[in-house]
């Protein structure tokens, strides 16, 4: 897989690296006039083991962990209704809490569990787990007409070459991927020995090729 840290600003369309994007998004003039009383966290989300997949989110401080969980599922993760959890300061906030394990639910507002500079994790599917790493970058005033959760910027799809011929890959074999191969162009996918039932589409997500995920 070709690694990249380039991403696109959702407001102005500018292309920046991951670090430069952090400086750009909150001050992007295309966001429009701000509303000082609308306090929002800027959060960097990335694949823990695949950091080439990343995005900056603007999210209201009154949103809940459940809101953030739903958003992450819809844009990057959801395939079969698996359980999920946040780990924040060694406390687990889960979609199906078990009090005997001292787990908490996700109905907590972000302003009560997060602070600027804090790092935490999100796990989706406790079998074939996709783990995300999140960091609270800043607290900023929101812009007019912003949604409760909004993608400020997101990585450009990594260019991935077909393992067999070098053309752009569009499918991934769920069997061969564990050996570091199985990325296939459309032509090579048609003749791949594992069969088309083992193929999943190449999508711009850290859950690519896992379980039944086909894209958000």
């Amino acid at each position: 897989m070709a690694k990249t840290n380039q991403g696109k600003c959702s407001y102005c369309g500018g292309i920046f690296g991951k670090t430069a994007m952090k400086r750009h998004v909150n001050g992007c003039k295309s966001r429009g006039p701000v509303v000082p009383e609308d306090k929002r966290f800027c959060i960097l989300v990335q694949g823990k083991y695949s950091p080439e997949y990343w995005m900056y989110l603007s999210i209201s401080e009154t949103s809940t962990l459940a809101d953030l969980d739903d958003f992450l599922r819809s844009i990057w993760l959801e395939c079969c209704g698996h359980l999920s959890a946040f780990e924040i300061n060694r406390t687990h906030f889960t979609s199906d809490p078990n009090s005997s394990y001292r787990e908490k639910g996700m109905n907590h507002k972000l302003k009560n569990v997060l602070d600027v500079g804090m790092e935490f994790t999100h796990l989706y599917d406790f079998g074939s787990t996709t783990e995300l790493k999140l960091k609270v970058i800043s607290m900023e005033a929101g812009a007019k007409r912003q949604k409760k959760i909004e993608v400020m910027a997101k990585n450009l799809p990594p260019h991935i070459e077909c393992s067999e011929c070098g053309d752009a890959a569009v499918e991934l074999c769920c069997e061969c991927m564990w050996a570091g191969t199985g990325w296939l162009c459309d032509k090579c996918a048609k003749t791949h020995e594992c069969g088309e039932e083992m193929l999943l589409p190449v999508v711009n997500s850290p859950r690519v090729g896992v379980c039944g995920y086909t894209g958000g």
Side-chain angles (χ1 to χ4, degrees):
M1 177 186 295
K3 305 293 185 181
T4 178
N5 73 344
Q6 295 290 297
K8 183 177 182 179
C9 174
S10 299
Y11 305 117
C12 70
I15 305 299
F16 302 92
K18 188 191 302 185
T19 301
M21 189 67 79
K22 178 176 67 173
R23 297 190 296 269
H24 169 79
V25 285
N26 283 318
C28 181
K29 295 180 180 179
S30 296
R31 284 182 71 196
V34 300
V35 181
E37 62 271 17
D38 180 20
K39 298 298 183 182
R40 305 176 70 91
F41 289 110
C42 174
I43 298 178
L44 170 63
V45 188
Q46 58 188 324
K48 183 172 182 179
Y49 304 108
S50 49
E52 64 271 19
Y53 299 105
W54 57 269
M55 56 186 167
Y56 285 94
L57 301 181
S58 174
I59 178 168
S60 171
E61 67 171 357
T62 59
S63 297
T64 65
L65 289 172
D67 294 328
L68 180 54
D69 178 61
D70 287 343
F71 187 85
L72 295 174
R73 286 170 174 264
S74 67
I75 198 169
W76 257 2
L77 303 169
E78 186 63 82
C79 61
C80 304
H82 298 291
L83 299 178
S84 58
F86 290 97
E87 183 177 348
I88 304 173
N89 285 337
R90 299 183 180 180
T91 298
H92 286 81
F93 301 85
T94 78
S95 56
D96 186 22
N98 186 329
S99 59
S100 62
Y101 289 102
R102 297 183 179 179
E103 296 173 342
K104 296 184 178 181
M106 293 187 178
N107 59 335
H108 298 269
K109 291 183 178 181
L110 299 188
K111 66 180 181 179
N112 295 329
V113 293
L114 299 182
D115 288 306
V116 174
M118 180 181 290
E119 296 185 0
F120 59 109
T121 58
H122 178 272
L123 300 93
Y124 174 79
D125 181 3
F126 301 150
S128 301
T129 306
T130 298
E131 189 167 354
L132 304 179
K133 180 180 177 181
L134 300 92
K135 182 175 181 178
V136 183
I137 301 299
S138 60
M139 172 73 84
E140 302 287 342
K144 289 183 177 180
R145 295 182 296 278
Q146 272 194 288
K147 300 175 183 177
K148 181 184 290 187
I149 305 178
E150 192 167 274
V151 177
M152 305 176 79
K154 189 178 181 183
N155 72 281
L156 296 175
H159 175 72
I160 305 171
E161 295 183 351
C162 174
S163 302
E164 299 183 11
C165 73
D167 286 347
V170 296
E171 303 279 355
L172 175 59
C173 175
C174 299
E175 184 69 27
C176 297
M177 65 179 288
W178 303 112
T181 61
W183 301 98
L184 303 164
C185 68
D186 187 59
K187 181 179 178 180
C188 293
K190 290 181 171 64
T191 58
H192 187 63
E193 60 184 3
C194 294
E196 67 175 39
E197 67 275 6
M198 297 302 296
L199 303 180
L200 285 172
V202 173
V203 293
N204 190 15
S205 162
R207 195 161 174 77
V208 59
V210 180
C211 195
Y213 187 69
T214 58

